[in-house]
């Protein structure tokens, strides 16, 4: 890997936001194709996910790496659009109705973006109607729902039932996660997948994209 790109990789891995921004700017100025710059950042985030799974990184390290990635992406995004690089897949994400916790959901969104997915983040306290409207507008591959409260997790099932009633359930794969959620619960509400953390969400979404 060329020196600047190596520096970019390390800047993402270590969560150095300003360095990441500078490295992206330098690489683009020197004529590195935007797709190649993106690959370096995605690979760095891949290693971040790996380190998290191995217990070397914890949530704070993952968060600052994801922020560095996001800063780099802000510079890179217009170039990617110009280069017509297609996202890996499209995901609508939100914390379900009644639930205001968004730290985990934001991390999931950042890691997905880091892996090359186009993410539409609907925020928190998202009603089934808002999920349906977003599916109709954006035609995503996935809907990712987050819940942190035992009192709001049933709203995942309610949302899936609402998607069925609106006739859009089969057009998307529904992924669920959040501290109280289990694979068993995901199966019970007929979600297509459950991920215990942000890194596993990326793996799951990639696997389901084939
Ligand atoms: Co709240 N809260 N909170 N809270 N809060 C919990 C969840 C709680 C366990 C604390 C406790 O009592 N020990 C408890 C829930 C108990 C229960 O339901 N059985 C609780 C409670 C009770 C409440 C209130 C009801 C308190 C009150 O007002 N009486 C209230 C509810 C407000 C509401 O939502 N309507 C409330 C409020 C808040 C704050 C606003 C103060 C704040 C949220 C700030 C914010 O998010 N912007 C807050 C916080 C910070 C927490 C704790 C301390 C931390 C949550 C967090 O951010 N974790 C939490 C206790 C705890 O977890 N230790 C607690 C870090 C984050 C990175 O992890 O969110 O689990 P997490 O996300 C992970 C995975 O779960 C997974 O990936 C993430 C990254 O690896 N994941 C997904 C998450 N979403 C996913 C979606 C996917 C896939 C994976 O889609 C495919």
């Amino acid at each position: 890997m060329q020196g600047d790109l190596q520096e970019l990789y390390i800047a993402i891995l270590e969560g150095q936001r300003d360095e990441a921004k500078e490295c992206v700017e330098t690489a683009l100025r020197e004529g590195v194709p935007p797709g190649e710059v993106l690959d370096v950042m995605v690979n760095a985030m891949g290693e971040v996910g790996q380190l998290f799974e191995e217990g070397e990184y914890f949530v704070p390290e993952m968060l600052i790496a994801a922020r560095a990635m996001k800063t780099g992406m802000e510079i890179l995004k217009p170039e990617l659009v110009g280069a017509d690089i297609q996202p890996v897949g499209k995901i609508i994400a939100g914390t379900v109705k009644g639930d205001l916790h968004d730290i985990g959901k934001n991390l999931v969104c950042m890691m997905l973006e880091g892996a090359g997915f186009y993410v539409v983040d609907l925020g928190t306290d998202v009603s089934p109607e808002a999920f349906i409207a977003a599916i109709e507008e954006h035609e995503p591959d996935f809907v990712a729902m987050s819940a942190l409260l035992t009192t709001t997790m049933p709203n995942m099932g309610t949302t899936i039932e609402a998607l069925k009633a609106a006739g859009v359930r089969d057009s998307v794969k529904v992924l669920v996660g959040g501290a109280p959620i289990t694979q068993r619960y995901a199966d019970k509400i007929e979600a297509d997948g459950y991920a215990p953390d942000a890194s596993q969400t990326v793996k799951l979404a990639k696997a389901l994209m084939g």
Side-chain angles (χ1 to χ4, degrees):
M1 202 189 302
Q2 185 180 322
D4 289 335
L5 296 180
Q6 183 74 40
E7 276 178 39
L8 173 60
Y9 188 93
I10 291 166
I12 302 287
L13 202 62
E14 295 182 351
Q16 297 161 350
R17 216 194 308 211
D18 294 341
E19 281 81 351
K21 180 172 178 270
E22 274 169 35
C23 288
V24 172
E25 283 167 348
T26 309
L28 292 174
R29 211 172 31 245
E30 288 175 354
V32 179
E36 213 172 296
V37 180
L38 178 67
D39 282 348
V40 171
M41 292 206 283
V42 169
N43 290 341
M45 283 308 288
E47 184 168 348
V48 170
Q50 188 65 35
L51 290 169
F52 176 75
E53 281 171 31
E54 289 167 1
E56 287 280 322
Y57 269 23
F58 295 95
V59 167
E61 285 92 346
M62 201 150 69
L63 269 176
I64 58 165
R67 278 188 200 141
M69 167 93 190
K70 208 169 184 181
T71 306
M73 279 304 288
E74 279 159 19
I75 311 290
L76 194 63
K77 241 178 201 167
E79 306 292 329
L80 288 173
V81 174
D84 198 25
I85 288 170
Q86 295 303 313
V88 180
K90 199 189 273 186
I91 300 195
I92 282 174
T95 306
V96 295
K97 192 173 168 64
D99 199 321
L100 301 176
H101 295 84
D102 69 355
I103 298 168
K105 184 264 302 163
N106 292 346
L107 191 50
V108 167
C109 289
M110 286 194 242
M111 290 296 284
L112 284 166
E113 275 183 350
F117 284 87
Y118 178 82
V119 179
V120 180
D121 183 357
L122 302 180
T124 58
D125 191 18
V126 182
S127 66
E129 296 74 28
F131 275 113
I132 292 165
I135 292 170
E136 286 167 349
E137 182 184 348
H138 298 285
E139 299 181 351
D141 303 291
F142 298 96
V143 169
M145 287 193 271
S146 176
L148 263 282
L149 299 170
T150 45
T151 49
T152 57
M153 57 189 265
N155 292 336
M156 290 179 158
T158 311
T159 302
I160 290 178
E161 288 308 314
L163 299 192
K164 284 182 193 164
V168 295
R169 172 65 184 92
D170 293 338
S171 69
V172 289
K173 290 198 166 61
V174 177
L175 312 181
V176 292
I181 311 304
T182 58
Q183 181 65 56
R184 199 166 159 200
Y185 183 70
D187 294 341
K188 187 179 154 205
I189 62 172
E190 297 175 358
D192 297 295
Y194 156 74
D197 58 44
S199 164
Q200 295 287 331
T201 307
V202 171
K203 283 193 178 161
L204 177 65
K206 279 186 173 169
L208 289 173
M209 283 297 290

